[in-house]
């Protein structure tokens, strides 16, 4: 319930939100609807589930309204509704240290371009940390266990003004980039906007793409599903899921992905609502809230193939068991038959690997 009150003395409108706390732990307000959906990548019917809630998540409409009206504190959060396009730089496999240094030099040129888009008071110093293969890295498993926020939550954000003259209406967009550039993982660039025409956004995106092409960097469009906590975000997309009920085999799968041309794509918080569609899914142990007994979001490391055609998310439970989730990069593939062929072939390699482990 929202209560709006006008304060004549200060000429302001006060907004108060009220929440029914009794409904937070009511199991009847949530309904899971399982169904079968044909998967393009497996060419088989796959079980998926959609969750329907009586009360939707709270939308900060008043904060968005202030931003549209010109609030200087422009900062998008994942709870807001706004337009977005996402990209990622995917590194190539380096044959030697010189090739890696050359890749870093190319990125620094892009970093200079991004720095020019920032405000003057934000342009001092490097706002992105650069890490090479010679630098120390935290343990892979320890890093996942300690993570409490998705990779996208740590992104550096800045506003880009799109108005060319004072006669034009005020338009702006937000650019968000990863705080760290690691030569062994992807680097994400996101364009968010509320108050901007599509033509000006398209111009900025084309400029970014041309800069990357000019510098010799491979920029790929990526889908919203690649950062979504829900693996069933799209009701007509059925990502295949394969369980691995052995900790040692789970470690082998992750090592095999890197050997097969996959690159680290960060850690993403994931909702474990998929246990209903996996055979003997109740055997997996995921943390729950003490009062409501609902599953908590869990950190999961994600990989993307160097071709940009397919993502793989690895979800570990408290026993060290693994659920392997694969999905195509439909935003990048589009109607490109060759890219779809690559995605299908890489999934088949992964599927053959998982089947061989099941039989040993």
């Amino acid at each position: 319930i929202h209560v709006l009150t006008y304060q004549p003395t200060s000429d302001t409108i006060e907004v108060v939100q009220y929440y029914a706390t009794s409904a937070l732990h009511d199991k009847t307000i949530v309904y899971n609807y399982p169904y079968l959906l044909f998967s393009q990548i497996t060419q088989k019917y796959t079980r998926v589930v959609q969750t329907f809630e009586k009360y939707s998540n709270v939308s900060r409409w008043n904060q968005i309204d202030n931003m549209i009206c010109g609030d200087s504190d422009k900062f998008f959060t994942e709870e807001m509704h706004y337009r977005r396009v996402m990209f990622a730089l995917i590194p190539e496999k380096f044959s030697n240290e010189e090739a890696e240094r050359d890749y870093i030099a190319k990125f620094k040129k892009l970093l200079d371009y991004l720095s020019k888009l920032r405000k003057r008071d934000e342009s001092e110093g490097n706002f992105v940390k650069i890490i090479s293969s010679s630098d120390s890295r935290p343990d892979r498993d320890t890093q996942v266990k300690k993570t409490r926020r998705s990779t996208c939550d740590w992104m550096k954000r800045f506003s880009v003004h799109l108005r060319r003259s004072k006669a034009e209406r005020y338009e702006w967009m937000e650019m968000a980039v990863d705080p760290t550039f690691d030569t062994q993982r992807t680097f994400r660039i996101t364009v968010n906007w509320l108050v901007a025409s599509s033509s000006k956004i398209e111009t900025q995106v084309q400029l970014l793409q041309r800069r990357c092409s000019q510098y010799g960097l491979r920029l790929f469009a990526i889908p919203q599903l690649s950062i979504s906590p829900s693996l069933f975000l799209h009701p007509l997309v059925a990502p295949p899921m394969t369980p691995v009920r052995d900790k040692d085999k789970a470690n082998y799968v992750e090592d095999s992905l890197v050997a097969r041309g996959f690159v680290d794509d960060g850690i993403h918080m994931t909702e474990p609502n998929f246990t209903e569609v996996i055979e003997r899914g109740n055997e997996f142990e995921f943390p729950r809230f003490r009062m409501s007994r609902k599953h908590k979001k869990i950190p999961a490391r994600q990989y993307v193939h160097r071709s940009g055609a397919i993502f793989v998310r690895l979800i570990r439970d408290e026993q060290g068991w693994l659920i392997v989730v694969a999905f195509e990069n439909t935003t990048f593939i589009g109607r490109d038959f060759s890219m779809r062929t690559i995605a299908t072939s890489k999934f088949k390699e992964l599927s053959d690997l998982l089947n061989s482990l099941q039989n040993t």
Side-chain angles (χ1 to χ4, degrees):
I1 300 175
H2 294 75
V3 177
L4 280 69
T5 306
Y6 175 67
Q7 302 292 346
T9 55
S10 58
D11 194 27
T12 59
I13 297 176
E14 183 182 88
V15 180
V16 180
Q17 297 178 344
Y18 294 91
Y19 304 96
T21 56
S22 59
L24 295 177
H25 309 303
D26 186 358
K27 296 182 180 179
T28 62
I29 66 173
V30 179
Y31 179 74
N32 292 326
Y33 178 72
Y35 57 99
L36 292 175
L37 188 66
F38 188 77
S39 173
Q40 291 291 338
I41 197 169
T42 62
Q43 293 295 300
K44 297 178 182 178
Y45 280 95
T46 304
R47 291 189 65 190
V48 294
V49 63
Q50 285 292 319
T51 301
F52 296 91
E53 298 181 358
K54 183 176 181 180
Y55 303 106
S56 60
N57 294 330
V58 177
S59 177
R60 299 181 180 276
W61 59 268
N62 54 331
Q63 187 176 358
I64 296 176
D65 186 56
N66 288 335
M67 295 175 71
I68 293 175
C69 294
D71 190 346
S72 57
D73 186 18
K74 304 178 183 66
F75 183 76
F76 290 107
T77 62
E78 292 301 315
E79 293 79 17
M80 294 181 179
H81 299 288
Y82 52 88
R83 296 177 177 88
R84 166 165 50 191
V85 289
M86 297 184 293
F87 302 93
L89 294 175
I90 301 180
E92 298 178 357
K93 189 174 182 180
F94 307 119
S95 57
N96 49 50
E97 292 184 2
E98 184 179 353
E100 185 181 23
R101 287 194 295 268
D102 182 55
Y103 179 61
I104 293 175
K106 293 176 181 178
F107 175 75
K108 286 182 177 179
K109 293 180 181 179
L110 177 64
L111 194 59
D112 291 338
Y113 168 71
L114 295 175
S115 297
K116 293 177 182 178
L117 294 177
R118 306 173 74 202
K119 295 179 180 179
R120 292 181 180 178
D121 57 349
E122 295 178 338
S123 299
E124 297 297 330
N126 293 327
F127 65 103
V128 174
K129 181 182 178 181
I130 298 178
I131 298 177
S132 65
S133 57
S134 60
D135 297 316
S136 60
R137 290 178 172 81
D139 178 70
R140 184 176 65 188
D141 295 337
T142 304
Q143 186 182 18
V144 174
K145 291 178 180 178
K146 290 184 176 180
T147 299
R148 294 295 179 267
R149 298 170 63 186
S150 292
T151 300
C152 58
D153 292 334
W154 300 101
M155 299 181 85
K156 294 289 187 69
R157 302 170 182 269
F158 59 92
S159 300
V160 179
H161 299 281
L162 304 177
R163 184 169 57 177
R164 299 175 183 174
S165 65
K166 293 183 178 180
E168 296 183 0
R169 71 185 183 97
Y170 182 61
E171 295 180 281
W172 59 275
M173 71 179 193
E174 179 191 78
M175 290 198 74
V177 300
D178 280 341
T180 303
F181 173 77
D182 191 334
T183 57
Q184 304 299 317
R185 56 156 292 181
T186 61
F187 181 81
R188 287 176 175 258
I189 304 175
T190 304
V191 177
N192 308 318
W193 74 96
L194 271 175
V195 187
S197 59
S198 58
S199 59
K200 290 187 177 180
I201 295 296
E202 185 178 3
T203 299
Q204 292 297 322
V205 169
Q206 289 177 351
L207 284 172
L208 175 63
Q209 292 171 329
R210 282 200 296 266
R211 293 281 183 167
C212 290
S213 178
Q214 178 185 345
Y215 301 149
L217 298 170
R218 303 188 306 148
L219 186 71
F220 296 83
I222 55 177
Q224 175 70 21
L225 182 58
S226 66
I227 67 168
S228 173
S230 174
L231 297 172
F232 305 116
L233 175 68
H234 197 304
L236 299 180
V237 174
M241 303 180 182
T242 307
V244 179
R245 294 178 171 86
D246 185 275
K247 185 176 181 180
D248 293 333
K249 292 180 180 180
N251 294 334
Y252 179 74
V253 169
E254 188 160 5
D255 295 335
S256 298
L257 283 176
V258 178
R260 284 170 165 76
F262 283 83
V263 182
D264 182 8
D265 188 43
I267 301 172
H268 302 272
M269 302 303 292
T270 306
E271 298 173 353
N273 59 345
F274 44 77
T275 54
E276 295 185 18
V277 301
I278 296 177
E279 186 178 356
R280 293 157 43 211
N282 58 345
E283 296 179 355
F284 286 84
E285 298 178 3
F286 295 107
R288 296 174 179 267
F289 290 103
R290 186 169 57 88
M291 295 295 293
S292 65
R293 302 304 300 164
K294 293 182 179 178
H295 282 118
K296 297 180 180 180
K297 292 182 181 179
I298 53 177
R301 190 175 293 279
Q302 185 168 281
Y303 291 85
V304 60
H305 191 259
R306 294 188 191 275
S307 65
I310 184 172
F311 289 87
V312 176
R313 189 176 297 188
L314 305 179
I315 307 169
R316 291 180 182 265
D317 75 342
E318 295 180 331
Q319 307 169 87
W321 293 3
L322 185 68
I323 296 176
V324 182
V325 185
F327 53 93
E328 294 177 302
N329 184 358
T330 53
T331 305
F332 172 65
I333 292 176
R335 297 183 179 180
D336 191 332
F337 179 77
S338 61
M339 285 292 103
R340 187 170 295 279
T341 302
I342 292 176
T344 304
S345 64
K346 293 304 172 183
F347 174 76
K348 186 178 184 306
E349 290 180 13
L350 177 62
S351 181
D352 291 342
L353 170 66
L354 296 174
N355 289 334
S356 66
L357 291 176
Q358 299 288 354
N359 299 326
T360 57

